[in-house]
Amino acid sequence: MTISAIKGMNDILPGEVETWQFLEQSARNIFEIYGFSEIRTPVPEKTELFCRSIGETTDIVEKEMYTFADKSQNSMTLRPEGTAPVMRALIQNRLYNQDSVTKLYYLGPMFRYERPQKGRYRQFHQLGAEVLGVEDPKIDTQVLAMLHHYFRSIGIDSVSLQINSLGCPECRPAYREKLVAYLESRLAALCPECQRRYLVNPLRVLDCKVPDCREATTDAPAMIEYLCEDCETHFSQVQKHLAALEIPFEVNPRMVRGLDYYVRTTFELVTDQLGSQNAVAAGGRYDGLVEGLGGPALPGIGFAIGLERLVLLKGNEKIAPGVPVVFIAALGDAAVDPAFVLMSQLQAAGVRAEMDYQSKSLKAQLRRANKLNARYCLVLGDEELTSGQVQLKNMADGTQTPVSLAGLVDLLVENNS
RNA sequence: GUGGGAUUAGCUCAGUUGGUUAGAGCACUGGUUUGUGGUGCCGGGGGUCGGCGGGUUCGAAUCCCGUAUCCCACCCCA
């Protein structure tokens, strides 16, 4: 039996890794324009970090974390998301002391123990950004503008932006009571799952996908109708700024978050092209999180993009792999070593050169040159070695140019640039 | 955690109502033709039919049960 990768954890292979690199490089370019710096944190963290930030009763903490004890019996967890570790690093290293605004982005693998399916894996990758220290709604809009800019730059337009406000510790409790009372009056019409959770997590019921539940809750009270004055102002300012920047969006009063730390503005970029995994990016404001983790009372807002989902969206348009500039075919055993030296010289000079490492027939070598889509091809045999002249063949149009072996490197270096 | 589908060559898949030595295309490889490659033709290697356990049968790749993995959906999320 051969050894296979762990369930839900995938290799990223040549042919698809080019798409990843493109998406990552584009993100670095765009995020830098908006003043973000990269931060890299460890993959495992103390389990407590996630319990305290994400919330004890969330699905992630309750049943999806990769938690284990190390040899000293300390409980550690492979990070299931990126925000909490970044906040931990921010507090530990006092990054907030540099400036009144801290802008960070991260990129890396996350782990959740779920049943894998399209666009959802046990090891997956998130690309996220966080802004700390600004409560002004302009920063909410700024973050959304950057997200919008990024998606435009990578050529994905099949997503739409949905926003909502979850209120704050001032106004949410009162709303929550109203919602629970409403749900209690409709309890019989809800799906069993919602009947179980309406007390623990009533907002979740609004996001239920069972048609009957949606039907039964069409006139449920919405958080945005019960926002306190400050939250109301904040939310309307975000929308005003979005309109000013001509960023299309729609308000979805039923959108909720799976993590407990979110307040006020929340948002998702959704698509209809990935089956049931419709969220490609999501995020929101988390004003109490840093303080809750023992840091200063810093407001924060951020998002995370699911890279596997982004790759799936981008996937159709394959990014062509690099092609060799020149392929060297060796004719006869005596030419193999000189061909190898020539190839090495070309590579050392910065020219992408290829040959066949095994001694094959000339036909097989040339077939490989064609398969690799090399731009030029030359045959090196006894004749060429004694005369010092080779025929450089242009594979596209078939034309041949006589070139001296001595001048070949210079010619190709020039041609390459 | 709950459902549905799948598993046969390196890859994509056929294999009819169970019936002898299990097939195709691509890929790989040898030869040949074409000016030293792209085309055509002729050959070749490669599979104990995912694994294990069990059942039905004269006979199982084929039917049934268990188990593993993958995919898809639910749940949830990015």
Side-chain angles (χ1 to χ4, degrees), chain A residues 135-142 144 163 165 227 229-245 249 264-265 285:
Chain A
E135 191 169 7
D136 192 284
K138 281 197 284 296
I139 203 68
D140 301 43
T141 301
Q142 168 94 98
L144 290 169
I163 64 171
S165 177
L227 294 176
E229 201 179 331
D230 286 351
C231 285
E232 166 61 33
T233 307
H234 188 97
F235 193 46
S236 62
Q237 288 289 306
V238 171
Q239 294 179 62
K240 191 189 85 179
H241 294 315
L242 282 172
L245 299 185
F249 68 94
R264 291 196 169 169
T265 315
R285 186 165 270 284

Side-chain angles (χ1 to χ4, degrees), chain A residues 13-14 25 103 109 127 159 173 184 219 221 242 247 259 264 288 301 331 358 371 403-404 412-413 416:
Chain A
L13 302 173
Q25 191 53 52
K103 298 177 180 175
L127 166 58
V159 292
E184 222 147 36
D219 58 346
L242 282 172
I247 296 172
L259 291 71
R264 291 196 169 169
I301 181 165
L331 183 58
Q358 301 156 81
K371 189 181 164 187
V403 185
S404 75
L412 286 172
V413 167
N416 198 23

Side-chain angles (χ1 to χ4, degrees), chain A residues 35 94 127 138 146 180 215 248 267 285 291 293-294 298 308 317 334:
Chain A
R94 301 188 206 290
L127 166 58
K138 281 197 284 296
M146 182 170 86
V180 169
E215 183 84 13
F267 52 87
R285 186 165 270 284
E291 192 175 13
L293 289 173
L298 280 178
E308 277 79 1
E317 325 150 35

